[in-house]
Amino acid sequence: MRGIYTAAFLDRLVTQFARTRGVESLDLGKGFDLITGTSTGAIVGCALAVGRPMGEIVKMYRDHGRQIFPHRIKGTASAIWRMFVGGHYVRKGDHVLRKALSDVLEDTTILDVFQKRSISLSIPAILMSSHRSWVFKKTPKSGVRDDHYKLVDICMASSAAPIFRSLAAIDDPNNDHGVEQVFADGGLWANNPIMVGLTDALACAPAGAAIQIFSLGTCSRPEGELIPARKVHRSILGWKMGADAAALSITAQEFAFDNMARFIGNKLTELGRPVTRLRFPNKDVPAEMMKYLALDDARPEAVKRLIQQASNDADIAKSACDDPNNADGRMVKALMMSLPEMPKTGVKMETTT
């Protein structure tokens, strides 16, 4: 559900720059050669890639969130209840999410995006038949394996978070025998996909070309626990049937991969291959936001508060863009001022069959 923060942040920032430029809207997806996103980030990233306005994605989360997550895991009692009836909830949510994604992404394939929008995509998931990482990918160097996967299926696969959602059983477009492949959430190994993006950028960008990475999170909660030694014997209920372990993994990955990307980018820059990394917003989350940041919190008050926080953070980002002495602001402003115009209703893509 925190993807609504990302979509609302981008919607607010793009809207302000569109007004500055005196146009209806801006095609943010066309500002990038490569877009990568994991789980809820895959949904936002694919919507950008096909030229959908971010306001439409905010509406998708707001209208369907309660049906996608009809039962929130909020404590030990709810975790125990989920153990017995969870299959009903995730099955219902799976159907609603697929329908919502289909309304936005239609039958567009990853090849359609590459051919008709000149945008590469790299979307992490896990292939359950081998328990190995999988990246749905179409770039100038990627080959044809994933060409005919639909973006709806890719998003279902990348966001198939264990405990919270169903696994994703999707048709294998390379097989004519009705075979399905089952995938789990890419966030189990690449919740922060910055290293996936950097790897593909290095593989695809012309030799010596500068690489700019714009990394946007989902209003990640400040984490950490001071645990007395006598409290370390935490078992399955202490982890809310695994829900808290998932949140721990997400936070640890975000920090680790950001720092790896920073280190590698700095070294590449020293070696003459400029890599610039910008993560925004980069301010601390207000303490009162903590109660609204669960991955499955679709309550109206949580949705409203995430949108409000995104709007506040976007306003701060715009102020940085208006400050000529702010290096990050200059980088974002240069991107926004270079974007092509698009209608407020978005781009209408013709798809292949």
Side-chain angles (χ1 to χ4, degrees):
M1 281 304 299
R2 293 211 307 255
I4 198 171
Y5 168 90
T6 310
F9 179 95
L10 293 175
D11 182 50
R12 179 89 163 195
L13 194 60
V14 166
T15 297
Q16 292 197 44
F17 272 100
R19 290 174 179 168
T20 298
R21 292 175 52 181
V23 299
E24 276 192 41
S25 189
L26 300 171
D27 191 344
L28 181 56
K30 285 289 285 181
F32 298 91
D33 301 294
L34 168 70
I35 296 174
T36 181
T38 306
S39 198
T40 200
I43 296 171
V44 174
C46 286
L48 287 172
V50 300
R52 302 315 304 157
M54 285 293 97
E56 185 175 327
I57 307 307
V58 173
K59 186 176 187 302
M60 185 193 78
Y61 280 100
R62 172 175 254 166
D63 289 351
H64 302 291
R66 291 298 291 271
Q67 296 170 293
I68 295 169
F69 296 109
H71 175 258
R72 181 167 59 102
I73 301 174
K74 54 185 180 295
T76 301
S78 65
I80 294 173
W81 170 256
R82 186 65 167 263
M83 181 172 64
F84 293 102
V85 298
H88 164 74
Y89 290 118
V90 297
R91 188 178 294 109
K92 179 181 178 182
D94 191 72
H95 173 76
V96 174
L97 178 59
R98 175 171 286 278
K99 175 62 168 61
L101 289 172
S102 297
D103 289 344
V104 173
L105 301 172
E106 301 179 330
D107 290 326
T108 308
T109 67
I110 198 169
L111 179 62
D112 289 329
V113 173
F114 184 74
Q115 290 182 334
K116 298 174 181 180
R117 297 268 290 162
S118 301
I119 298 172
S120 296
L121 282 169
S122 293
I123 307 295
I126 291 176
L127 181 63
M128 289 301 293
S129 62
S130 63
H131 281 195
R132 292 187 177 180
S133 60
W134 180 287
V135 180
F136 292 96
K137 184 182 300 188
K138 187 60 186 177
T139 74
K141 304 288 188 180
S142 65
V144 299
R145 183 196 69 179
D146 299 334
D147 282 4
H148 299 299
Y149 277 102
K150 295 179 180 180
L151 296 187
V152 171
D153 287 335
I154 290 171
C155 288
M156 293 294 292
S158 186
S159 65
I163 302 169
F164 297 98
R165 282 202 48 244
S166 302
L167 295 172
I170 63 178
D171 292 331
D172 184 346
N174 297 310
N175 192 305
D176 295 327
H177 308 293
V179 173
E180 292 179 316
Q181 296 277 21
V182 177
F183 293 89
D185 195 313
L188 293 172
W189 71 275
N191 184 67
N192 177 357
I194 190 169
M195 291 299 293
V196 175
L198 177 56
T199 300
D200 278 325
L202 290 170
C204 298
I211 294 171
Q212 289 186 328
I213 302 172
F214 293 79
S215 181
L216 178 61
T218 57
C219 197
S220 299
R221 57 191 296 165
E223 301 282 4
E225 301 172 80
L226 293 175
I227 304 174
R230 68 181 183 279
K231 296 285 189 179
V232 299
H233 309 293
R234 185 182 295 178
S235 189
I236 187 167
L237 288 181
W239 289 103
K240 294 182 186 174
M241 311 301 281
D244 280 356
L248 173 62
S249 172
I250 287 170
T251 303
Q253 286 185 59
E254 182 176 295
F255 178 82
F257 289 132
D258 264 347
N259 279 281
M260 282 190 279
R262 176 178 56 82
F263 178 83
I264 292 171
N266 289 344
K267 287 300 178 183
L268 287 170
T269 300
E270 290 176 8
L271 294 171
R273 182 63 181 269
V275 176
T276 307
R277 182 189 67 91
L278 185 156
R279 184 170 183 84
F280 64 104
N282 54 13
K283 58 189 271 309
D284 292 337
V285 176
E288 62 91 20
M289 282 291 296
M290 288 291 291
K291 57 183 176 287
Y292 303 122
L293 297 179
L295 303 182
D296 58 347
D297 192 349
R299 294 174 298 163
E301 59 266 35
V303 168
K304 180 179 179 181
R305 191 62 190 87
L306 281 168
I307 294 172
Q308 288 175 335
Q309 188 61 45
S311 298
N312 293 340
D313 290 345
D315 289 346
I316 292 171
K318 181 60 168 63
S319 294
C321 294
D322 295 336
D323 180 359
N325 297 315
N326 188 307
D328 289 349
R330 291 198 305 270
M331 187 171 165
V332 174
K333 183 176 182 178
L335 169 69
M336 292 291 176
M337 297 303 287
S338 70
L339 296 176
E341 301 175 27
M342 78 172 187
K344 197 167 185 177
T345 54
V347 174
K348 182 63 177 177
M349 275 190 60
E350 296 181 3
T351 59
T352 58
T353 57

